[in-house]
Each structure stands twice: as structure tokens, then as C-alpha cells.
């Protein structure tokens, strides 16, 4: 069989290119119908279109040079000013980034460089609750910082006493989540920040998930504890615009209490024949579209829009939590009160339940330690509460009656979960990734 070259000698028409792409997405997650419970924060078609138009309008512009594109500089400055106000940081300074992971990478690098410059620390350590997002492990790995992972309490929240015990002379940063991704619970931010301050260490709030939901939940009367720069000892904060900010993918912010702290994030190089090089974050070229779309959505929604969407998300989450808790055999993990939560079972194989739901078109993330299924609720899910719960009741009842679940990922998760050390799973996962990113099988 002779292979045609990968890059065809002749290009296709505009229409053909798009037709081929649309044909390729038929098996993609059906987020438009509210059947996917992670990855896409769907707030409706009008919002998506504003973001799409703003994005394409500024798609070619490059945020690496704010001098060449004063429009992008202004969008970014206004996005940051809005965030600083929302998070009560009158002196706060930050940058936009490509996402939560980059915001977190920057916060860890900044803390490392600050500690090196101000405290002479050469073997930095990072103190993390075990529930914190893996981006912190990634940052530790990339930047040569040793992560100290501290088990969370029985309520899945950071354990302040255990965190305190983990802070040592080399600690450069302590972290708490508002809320955590796996269980959607708020870490005790005030207590953790006070402890860090007492020890003379920086403290980061990971509000990647909750950042653009919590301030509005609070205004709607939900009992939201202080989690931002109002809290003494909080020195930096990350919040994702491409989650509950409903912006296009590729938009997050990282904020520091002062511009002096932010300085440790910046990179400059004046020794290059190509001229003076200055870059605020990880990326070199920075996509103008993501910055423009984030600005556009903040302007389009305004406070009223975010309050309306927050109300929908919180009401929908409550209905789902109550519905799930009422299914015999199912129970929530911890006491989640926001828009994200996990549930498990003492009587049913929870992964088999995940497979049974998947066979009915519902994509739920699987969690480990303990095994659980996970929901991230968006405005689009308001329309599917009843059908979802009906299917969940039916699937749980069928499993309880001894009927086997359809084939899915239960066997793999069961196998991974049975490994005594999560490190043992890493070789298996690497092999899986080699396969995922193998191009040799493509046409
Ligand atoms: C999503 C998330 C992150 C990482 O953000 P990405 O945009 O996926 O890189 C970090 N922390 C929390 C709590 C999150 O939910």
C-alpha cells in the first residue's frame, strides 16, 4: 500500500477543509447538550458568539508586544483591574496567562525567586494540601521546588495543623484552594494564610475554579468565607477566566498583593542581538484572541450577567446534590456547597455506575482515593437535571439488582486503584500517552 504524503501537494478549498473538520468531531463530547460534566463551561450560545467574534477579530495580534498593540495592553489592564477589584486587592498587580496551569506555574516561580532573592533559599519547598490541583506538582517539577504534600482532613479540606507542621525553613509558598477541584470544598484560607504569615512565608490562593463564581455567590447571600486579598497573609491568587468567567479557552489571571512581588515573575534579557526581550509570563508570543475575548465577555456580562449565571449554577448544583443524595446507595464526599462535587457509594461499584451512565451518554469524570464520580456544573446543566437524575436512579437500581454494567473504564480504574503506590501507575499512564500521541496510525 503506497502512502500518500501527509502534507498533500494541493490544498483543499475552504469549504472542504471545514467539512472535513466537522466530520471529525462526531464522536466528541456532547457538551452542547449538557451531557459532559467537565472541560467545557457552557453559558449559552450568545456568550459563546461574543467570545468567538472577539477572539477571531484579534486572532492575529500578539500580546508579546504591548507597545505594538495598545488595544491588547488596554484589554489586559482592564481585565486585571476588574479582577483586582473583585478580589479586593487595591495594590494588586498581575498578568493574564493562558490558563490556570500557567498562572500557578508563575505563582510558584515567583515565590521561588522571591525567596531566593530575599531569604537566600536555594533548596525551596512548597507546602500543599493533597487535594490541590496537579499544576502545583508540575510547577514543583519544572522549577526544582520540592513539593510537600499534606493529607487533607476527613472533610477533604486542608488540615491547618498538619500544614503548619510541614512548613520549615525552606518553605517558599503555602497553598490553599477556593475551592478544590476534586471535592469542591473551600480550604480554611484565613487560618492557612495567618499561619503562613506568622511563619514569614508567602501564601497562594488557588481560585482558578472559584474565582469568577465566589464573589457573585457571596453577593447572592451564599455563606462564602473570605478567600481573597481581604485575608491578611494572602500574597497571590489565581483565577481562570476560561472557567466561570465564561471566556474563550486560554485565559486566566495571576495576581500578587504588590507590584514588587510580581517583579519576580517577569523575565528580561538585554543581551540578545535581536534587541531587548521582555516577557511577563511563560509564553513568548501571547495570543491576542484570548485576551480580547476575556475582555469582551466581562464587558458583555457585567455584574448583572455574572449574578444571573451564578444563581443558575448554584441552584442547579443544589438540585443535583439533593437528587444524588436521595438515590439509595449514593453519597456526596465532604460538604460541597458550590458548583463542583463528587459522589461515591458504599454498596455499588461507583466506576461501574460511571460506565452505565456513559452508555446513556453522560460523561462523568472518575476520581480516585477514594473512588468517586465528579460533576462540574455550568449554566447549561440547568436543563438536564431531571433526565440526568432519572438515568442515575435507573443505573443505580440496575447495578443494585446485580445486573452487570456495560464495558467501560471501570476495569482500568479498578486496576489503578488497587496499586499500593500511585507512582506504580505512572509507567502505565506514560505508555498510554505514547499511544495517544502516536501519529503513525493516522491516515
Ligand atoms: C482548572 C483548575 C486549575 C488548572 O487550570 P487549567 O486552566 O486547566 O490549566 C487549577 N486549579 C483548580 C482548582 C482548577 O479547577
Amino acid at each position: 500500500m503506497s502512502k500518500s504524503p501527509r502534507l498533500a501537494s494541493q490544498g483543499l478549498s475552504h469549504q472542504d477543509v471545514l467539512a472535513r473538520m466537522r466530520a471529525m468531531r462526531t464522536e466528541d463530547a456532547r457538551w452542547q447538550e449538557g451531557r459532559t460534566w467537565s472541560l467545557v463551561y457552557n453559558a449559552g450560545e450568545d456568550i459563546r458568539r461574543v467570545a468567538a467574534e472577539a477572539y477571531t477579530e484579534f486572532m492575529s495580534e500578539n500580546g508579546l508586544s504591548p507597545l505594538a498593540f495598545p488595544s491588547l495592553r488596554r484589554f489586559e489592564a482592564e481585565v486585571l483591574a476588574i479582577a483586582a477589584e473583585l478580589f479586593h486587592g487595591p495594590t494588586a498587580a498581575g498578568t493574564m496567562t493562558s490558563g490556570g496551569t500557567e498562572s500557578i506555574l508563575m505563582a510558584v516561580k515567583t515565590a521561588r525567586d522571591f525567596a531566593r532573592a530575599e531569604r537566600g533559599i536555594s533548596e525551596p519547598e512548597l507546602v500543599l494540601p493533597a487535594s490541590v490541583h496537579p499544576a502545583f506538582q508540575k510547577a514543583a517539577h519544572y522549577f526544582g521546588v520540592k513539593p510537600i504534600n499534606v493529607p487533607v482532613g476527613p472533610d477533604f479540606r486542608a488540615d491547618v495543623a498538619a500544614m503548619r507542621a510541614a512548613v520549615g525553613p525552606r518553605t517558599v509558598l503555602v497553598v490553599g484552594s477556593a475551592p478544590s477541584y476534586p471535592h469542591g470544598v473551600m480550604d480554611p484560607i484565613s487560618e492557612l494564610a495567618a499561619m503562613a504569615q506568622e511563619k514569614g512565608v508567602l501564601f497562594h490562593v488557588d481560585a482558578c475554579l472559584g474565582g469568577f463564581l465566589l464573589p457573585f455567590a457571596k453577593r447572592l447571600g451564599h455563606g462564602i468565607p473570605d478567600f481573597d486579598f481581604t485575608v491578611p497573609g494572602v500574597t497571590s491568587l489565581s483565577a481562570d477566566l476560561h472557567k466561570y468567567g465564561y471566556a474563550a479557552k486560554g485565559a486566566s489571571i495571576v495576581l500578587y498583593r504588590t507590584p514588587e512581588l510580581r517583579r519576580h515573575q517577569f523575565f528580561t534579557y538585554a543581551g540578545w542581538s535581536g534587541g531587548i526581550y521582555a516577557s511577563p509570563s511563560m509564553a513568548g508570543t501571547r495570543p491576542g484572541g484570548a485576551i480580547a475575548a476575556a475582555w469582551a465577555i466581562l464587558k458583555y456580562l457585567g455584574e448583572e450577567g455574572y449574578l444571573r449565571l451564578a444563581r443558575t449554577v448554584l441552584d442547579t448544583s443544589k438540585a443535583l446534590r439533593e437528587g444524588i443524595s436521595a438515590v439509595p446507595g449514593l453519597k456526596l464526599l465532604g460538604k460541597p456547597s458550590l458548583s463542583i462535587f463528587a459522589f461515591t457509594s458504599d454498596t455499588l461499584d461507583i466506576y461501574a455506575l460511571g460506565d452505565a451512565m456513559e452508555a446513556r451518554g453522560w460523561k462523568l469524570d472518575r476520581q480516585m482515593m477514594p473512588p468517586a464520580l465528579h460533576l462540574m456544573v455550568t449554566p447549561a446543566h440547568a436543563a438536564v437535571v431531571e433526565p440526568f437524575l432519572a438515568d442515575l436512579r435507573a443505573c443505580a437500581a440496575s447495578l443494585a439488582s446485580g445486573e452487570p454494567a456495560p464495558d467501560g473504564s471501570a476495569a482500568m480504574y479498578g486496576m489503578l486503584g488497587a496499586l499500593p503506590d500511585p507512582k506504580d501507575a505512572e509507567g502505565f499512564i506514560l505508555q498510554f500517552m505514547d499511544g495517544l500521541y502516536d501519529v503513525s496510525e493516522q491516515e
Side-chain angles (χ1 to χ4, degrees):
M1 195 180 83
S2 77
K3 267 195 169 172
S4 55
R6 301 273 159 98
L7 183 63
S9 58
Q10 298 292 314
L12 300 172
S13 71
H14 178 156
Q15 288 311 327
D16 283 351
V17 170
L18 290 176
R20 282 203 186 192
M21 292 171 80
R22 289 184 182 130
M24 283 181 191
R25 79 193 316 192
T26 50
E27 288 178 27
D28 285 3
R30 286 149 63 188
W31 58 267
Q32 294 90 339
E33 298 158 38
R35 294 196 154 246
T36 301
W37 298 91
S38 66
L39 301 169
V40 179
Y41 292 71
N42 180 5
E45 185 55 17
D46 63 322
I47 294 169
R48 199 196 65 79
R49 280 185 46 203
V50 172
E53 281 181 36
Y55 199 105
T56 35
E57 189 111 350
F58 285 86
M59 186 184 71
S60 304
E61 276 74 2
N62 188 343
L64 178 60
S65 177
L67 299 178
F69 302 108
S71 58
L72 291 184
R73 196 186 85 81
R74 200 155 159 219
F75 295 151
E76 181 167 11
E78 286 191 25
V79 167
L80 291 165
I82 290 170
E85 190 176 82
L86 272 180
F87 305 129
H88 304 102
T91 62
T95 61
M96 285 185 72
T97 69
S98 62
T101 298
E102 190 183 353
S103 290
I104 288 165
L105 291 173
M106 291 296 84
V108 172
K109 187 207 87 88
T110 298
R112 182 199 67 176
D113 290 1
F114 173 85
R116 187 187 282 160
E118 304 291 327
R119 296 168 54 208
I121 293 178
S122 56
E123 292 177 63
E125 293 179 1
L126 180 59
V127 174
L128 305 168
S131 57
V132 89
H133 193 276
F136 289 95
Q137 314 293 343
K138 194 180 198 177
H141 183 72
Y142 281 8
F143 299 133
V145 179
K146 184 178 171 195
I148 314 284
N149 297 304
V150 181
V152 292
D155 57 359
F156 299 98
R157 300 168 74 224
D159 175 339
V160 181
M163 295 280 286
R164 171 185 289 274
V167 174
R170 293 169 176 167
T171 307
V172 299
L173 186 67
V174 177
V175 178
S177 305
S180 71
Y181 187 82
H183 308 113
V185 291
M186 297 282 284
D187 282 334
I189 299 297
S190 294
E191 290 90 329
L192 289 171
M195 181 274 285
Q197 193 173 35
E198 183 194 316
K199 301 255 188 186
V201 174
L202 301 180
F203 182 78
H204 182 83
V205 176
D206 181 14
C208 277
L209 183 72
F212 288 90
L213 183 66
L214 294 168
F216 305 104
K218 189 166 201 155
R219 276 167 225 185
L220 291 171
H222 288 253
I224 306 293
D226 288 342
F227 69 95
D228 57 18
F229 292 107
T230 324
V231 178
V234 169
T235 53
S236 58
L237 179 147
S238 49
D240 290 351
L241 288 150
H242 64 200
K243 288 184 181 159
Y244 290 105
Y246 306 112
K249 294 270 188 296
S252 172
I253 56 113
V254 57
L255 281 179
Y256 301 92
R257 191 175 275 278
T258 64
E260 289 73 36
L261 190 52
R262 180 181 62 178
R263 272 233 167 158
H264 297 276
Q265 177 178 315
F266 291 159
F267 177 79
T268 56
Y269 188 60
W272 188 37
S273 45
I276 292 170
Y277 189 87
S279 152
S281 54
M282 292 288 285
T285 292
R286 302 168 78 214
I291 297 171
W295 185 90
I297 293 300
L298 288 168
K299 293 288 161 183
Y300 178 69
L301 285 174
E303 186 182 18
E304 182 276 327
Y306 280 107
L307 284 169
R308 175 170 47 80
L309 293 167
R311 179 178 286 121
T312 304
V313 163
L314 294 165
D315 288 352
T316 305
S317 302
K318 184 161 181 273
L320 286 162
R321 284 197 307 270
E322 287 171 359
I324 291 167
S325 304
V327 178
L330 301 187
K331 63 170 192 192
L332 298 171
L333 293 179
K335 286 202 173 65
S337 60
L338 293 160
S339 60
I340 201 152
F341 47 90
F343 63 95
T344 190
S345 175
D346 295 330
T347 53
L348 303 173
D349 176 344
I350 198 74
Y351 295 142
L353 182 61
D355 290 345
M357 288 297 280
E358 188 139 349
R360 292 182 182 227
W362 302 104
K363 275 196 193 300
L364 293 159
D365 280 356
R366 276 61 160 181
Q367 296 198 152
M368 305 193 296
M369 298 176 286
L373 298 175
H374 187 258
L375 283 86
M376 174 278 279
V377 179
T378 68
H381 292 119
V384 301
V385 172
E386 275 321 310
F388 174 82
L389 291 174
D391 277 347
L392 190 68
R393 284 189 288 267
C395 291
S398 137
L399 282 179
S401 74
E403 243 167 81
D407 278 346
S409 60
M412 183 190 72
Y413 267 95
M415 189 273 282
L416 289 178
L419 295 172
D421 180 348
K423 281 235 175 296
D424 295 339
E426 284 164 17
F428 172 85
I429 299 165
L430 283 175
Q431 201 183 335
F432 182 73
M433 287 177 79
D434 281 338
L436 270 184
Y437 296 102
D438 179 8
V439 298
S440 63
E441 295 299 314
Q442 303 303 312
E443 80 174 79

